[in-house]
Amino acid sequence: MKIASKISLSFLILTVVFASIFTSVFYTIARNSLEDDIYSNLNVVAQSRANTVETFLDSGKESIRQLSKSVAIEDFLLAFTTGEAYQKFNLVAQRLKNTAGVMKYTYGVFVLDRNGIVVASSEPVDIGKDKSGDPYFLEGKKSAFIKDAYTSHTRKVDSIAFSAPIYDESNTRLLGMVVSRVRMTAIDAILKKSTGLGETGEVYLINRNGYMITPSRFMKDTFLKLKVDTENSREALKHFTGTHEKQVKHKSSMFIDYRGTPVIGAHAIIPEMRWCLLAEIDETEALAPLEKLASIFMIIFLLIPLAAWPAGKFVAKIITGPLHKLHEGTEIIGNGNLGYKVATDSQDEIGQLSRAFDKMTEHLKETTTSIDDLNKEIDERKRTEEALQKSEGRLQVILDTVQAGIVTIREKDHVIVDANRCALEMIGASREEAVGKICHNYICPAEVGKCPITDLGQTVDNSERELLTADGKSLTILKTVVPFEIAGEQYLIDSFVDISNLKEAENMLQESEEHYRQIIESASDIIYRTDENGYFTFGNPVATRTIGYSEEEWTGKHFIEL
């Protein structure tokens, strides 16, 4: 695979990975936030309605407690012992009717004697009835009491009842009891107020046995007939299990409701009545915003890779364009055209490398010309040619294996986030060892904190630098840095090539030319060199002595003159 394709593919893969992480993280955060809002709203609704119901119940208890302190009713009950109760009856009956008329949902207020017999009532039909076995009489002898939700047998009204005892002045002898019956529609009205739960939300009560005691929004005739056995109801009823009421933390959850529909629900409790208030909303309605959110993030996820591919190709073209030109030039030079110039116009490390190749080619051309002048020194020429061939072979190996090390660095902390094979081979470390490390562990180790910060699109730091390998070896590299941005975060692409071998080859060529000069100077034959017009450019000591001129005197003269 070509380097450009590798860069484009790597850029695309990196972008897809970052896009996946980005969309996943932000979608999860958004989903959790929305769910928390839904759960929080459910808990607020549930607790708010429960508090309102408790306030209503406390108000009813306080009203019946105040009624039990009525002097007229106390005198009426005391009169039963003297036979004068009839004279006080009308006054008490009127008081009970007035009380029932003031309280909107109250449909019966009556007085029981100490034996549980109705002796006065706002509804005359109740007088004389025996209520001694009713819970509001049995449980209401000590203090104000609320009878759990029930259906009146005579009036077929869904009701609750409030009762309070009446004692004599010494507070030692029970005289009787006052009772008010209230329609459950009073509590229904509280729960039917704007719930804030959308089209499918509902709030309802269940008693300690799990039976619904307020109307269902979706079903008819459920009062004390529909038993709610759901995860929400079971969690709510746990508050009342055991010998003591448990303080179980309220929480929202997803479950199947009594209709068999997936819902999200929360609950609150009314401890005195051992009632549970359940607030629920259909899951499809509650989580509908998540569907839109998922669609938005999916579109974002698809658009990011589509934009990344052309961007990757553009970056690859910038990086590999000079390399292509350099490769073409090296092939021409390798075919023997030593006059060809491979220099590129780029001012980065690749451009510097190409100009270095041109210099080496010039040196190679000069060396080849010098060797042609040594026809008489065949053995030495062969050894020189072999040396030159070895040098050319080394150069050709370098040219054939030209690759750039490419490292992606996070700009804010200079941490390596990715590196290609060539870079890893140059560093001498595996990907796992290099990724996550500070780039200055390897690249420009002496320049920590000196890296320039530039605007996007500007090439920086294009110069000769040092590369410190994993085993402590120092390499000379030509390095360029291109900044870019992904998802609002700055990154740097460091591309570099190792020019250590190139410097070594230059030194070898210089040493070879010096060696050739020493051979010529030490030869016993007359050896000299002229340029293409016949002017002397060089001669060995034997030639100098033979001609009789010093090297300074005959250098530059035409061979005809001598």
Side-chain angles (χ1 to χ4, degrees):
M1 182 182 292
K2 294 183 178 180
I3 293 177
S5 299
K6 290 181 179 179
I7 295 174
S8 299
L9 183 59
S10 299
F11 194 86
L12 177 62
I13 292 173
L14 186 64
T15 305
V16 171
V17 170
F18 273 102
S20 300
I21 296 173
F22 172 83
T23 54
S24 298
V25 169
F26 279 87
Y27 175 74
T28 300
I29 292 173
R31 178 186 178 91
N32 292 340
S33 176
L34 180 58
E35 290 181 351
D36 289 343
D37 289 343
I38 295 171
Y39 294 156
S40 176
N41 182 52
L42 282 170
N43 284 325
V44 168
V45 169
Q47 193 58 54
S48 172
R49 294 297 183 274
N51 292 340
T52 305
V53 171
E54 286 185 316
T55 300
F56 171 78
L57 296 176
D58 290 341
S59 175
K61 286 176 63 177
E62 182 61 26
S63 295
I64 201 68
R65 192 181 291 114
Q66 292 297 327
L67 186 61
S68 70
K69 296 177 182 179
S70 171
V71 175
I73 295 176
E74 182 180 347
D75 291 345
F76 172 69
L77 292 174
L78 287 171
F80 272 92
T81 61
T82 61
E84 299 176 354
Y86 179 76
Q87 297 175 359
K88 301 178 181 292
F89 174 79
N90 290 334
L91 179 62
V92 171
Q94 188 60 43
R95 172 68 186 275
L96 297 179
K97 288 181 179 180
N98 292 341
T99 300
V102 171
M103 301 176 69
K104 180 178 179 180
Y105 295 98
T106 300
Y107 69 92
V109 182
F110 51 88
V111 177
L112 304 177
D113 64 11
R114 60 191 305 174
N115 297 316
I117 305 300
V118 178
V119 294
S121 175
S122 61
E123 302 289 336
V125 70
D126 291 330
I127 297 176
K129 290 183 179 179
D130 185 357
K131 301 295 183 179
S132 59
D134 201 287
Y136 52 66
F137 177 75
L138 298 175
E139 300 293 336
K141 292 180 180 180
K142 295 181 180 181
S143 61
F145 172 75
I146 305 174
K147 179 182 177 179
D148 204 346
Y150 69 99
T151 300
S152 171
H153 294 295
T154 57
R155 291 178 174 80
K156 304 301 180 183
V157 177
D158 299 333
S159 315
I160 55 173
F162 298 86
S163 63
I166 301 174
Y167 284 88
D168 61 9
E169 291 182 354
S170 63
N171 203 33
T172 58
R173 184 166 66 98
L174 178 68
L175 300 178
M177 187 175 299
V178 62
V179 179
S180 67
R181 291 177 297 198
V182 179
R183 294 179 177 85
M184 281 294 293
T185 51
I187 296 178
D188 298 346
I190 294 174
L191 302 186
K192 285 181 179 179
K193 291 180 180 179
S194 177
T195 63
L197 297 181
E199 297 296 326
T200 60
E202 68 170 335
V203 180
Y204 59 93
L205 288 171
I206 59 173
N207 64 14
R208 69 192 68 187
N209 298 316
Y211 285 94
M212 189 178 291
I213 58 174
T214 54
S216 165
R217 184 174 181 177
F218 306 100
M219 302 175 68
K220 296 181 179 180
D221 195 20
T222 58
F223 186 81
L224 291 177
K225 295 179 181 179
L226 177 62
K227 185 170 185 178
V228 179
D229 184 16
T230 64
E231 180 181 339
N232 199 19
S233 66
R234 290 190 293 270
E235 289 294 321
L237 291 171
K238 285 181 181 179
H239 292 270
F240 307 123
T241 58
T243 56
H244 302 285
E245 294 181 357
K246 293 183 178 180
Q247 295 300 317
V248 182
K249 184 179 179 180
H250 295 189
K251 60 180 182 180
S252 301
S253 60
M254 296 184 183
F255 53 90
I256 304 300
D257 71 353
Y258 62 88
R259 299 171 293 151
T261 301
V263 298
I264 299 176
H267 62 265
I269 60 169
I270 302 174
E272 181 178 3
M273 302 303 298
R274 291 181 174 265
W275 289 348
C276 299
L277 186 145
L278 308 181
E280 298 168 356
I281 183 174
D282 285 5
E283 181 181 346
T284 53
E285 180 181 4
L287 301 183
L290 284 179
E291 298 296 330
K292 296 181 180 178
L293 187 64
S295 299
I296 293 173
F297 275 97
M298 181 58 67
I299 293 172
I300 294 174
F301 178 76
L302 293 175
L303 289 178
I304 289 177
L306 290 176
W309 177 250
K313 292 183 72 66
F314 177 73
V315 172
K317 183 178 181 181
I318 293 176
I319 296 174
T320 61
L323 285 175
H324 284 302
K325 188 174 182 180
L326 179 60
H327 177 71
E328 292 174 358
T330 56
E331 287 185 344
I332 294 173
I333 293 173
N335 291 329
N337 185 0
L338 299 180
Y340 184 79
K341 301 294 184 182
V342 298
T344 63
D345 296 332
S346 62
Q347 299 302 313
D348 57 11
E349 287 82 352
I350 303 300
Q352 295 173 8
L353 179 61
S354 66
R355 288 185 284 276
F357 274 118
D358 288 342
K359 291 181 180 179
M360 285 190 296
T361 304
E362 290 177 1
H363 290 312
L364 184 60
K365 184 176 181 180
E366 292 175 359
T367 303
T368 302
T369 303
S370 298
I371 293 174
D372 289 339
D373 293 336
L374 302 178
N375 294 324
K376 296 181 180 181
E377 301 293 337
I378 298 175
D379 293 338
E380 292 297 330
R381 184 178 63 81
K382 289 183 178 180
R383 287 194 293 270
T384 302
E385 288 178 352
E386 289 176 358
L388 288 173
Q389 288 175 357
K390 290 181 180 179
S391 297
E392 291 175 353
R394 293 191 188 97
L395 291 175
Q396 191 62 45
V397 170
I398 295 173
L399 296 176
D400 288 343
T401 58
V402 166
Q403 291 191 36
I406 300 175
V407 177
T408 303
I409 300 168
R410 190 166 50 233
E411 191 275 335
K412 66 179 180 182
D413 53 12
H414 294 164
V415 169
I416 296 174
V417 298
D418 197 8
N420 70 347
R421 177 186 57 79
C422 181
L424 295 174
E425 290 177 354
M426 291 174 65
I427 293 172
S430 66
R431 185 178 299 276
E432 292 73 16
E433 293 170 338
V435 172
K437 299 292 182 59
I438 301 298
C439 68
H440 292 297
N441 287 354
Y442 308 109
I443 306 170
C444 306
E447 300 183 14
V448 178
K450 297 180 181 179
C451 288
I453 300 175
T454 63
D455 296 331
L456 288 179
Q458 295 182 350
T459 302
V460 300
D461 192 23
N462 50 347
S463 58
E464 185 177 302
R465 290 290 189 272
E466 178 191 7
L467 175 70
L468 186 64
T469 64
D471 58 3
K473 183 179 178 181
S474 178
L475 299 178
T476 302
I477 60 173
L478 289 174
K479 181 171 75 73
T480 185
V481 179
V482 176
F484 68 101
E485 179 179 314
I486 295 179
E489 188 166 7
Q490 301 279 346
Y491 290 87
L492 303 172
I493 289 184
D494 267 26
S495 59
F496 51 86
V497 292
D498 180 6
I499 63 171
S500 300
N501 290 338
L502 180 60
K503 288 182 173 292
E504 180 181 354
E506 288 178 343
N507 294 333
M508 289 180 64
L509 286 174
Q510 292 175 356
E511 291 175 0
S512 176
E513 186 171 1
E514 181 64 29
H515 181 62
Y516 302 151
R517 185 178 184 90
Q518 291 175 359
I519 291 173
I520 294 171
E521 290 179 350
S522 62
S524 59
D525 297 327
I526 297 174
I527 300 173
Y528 60 86
R529 183 173 61 192
T530 64
D531 61 16
E532 59 185 3
N533 298 316
Y535 289 94
F536 289 99
T537 60
F538 172 76
N540 67 350
V542 176
T544 302
R545 290 195 300 271
T546 302
I547 295 172
Y549 288 93
S550 66
E551 184 175 351
E552 292 78 7
E553 292 174 336
W554 64 272
T555 299
K557 293 183 179 296
H558 200 277
F559 75 94
I560 296 177
E561 297 179 40
L562 303 177

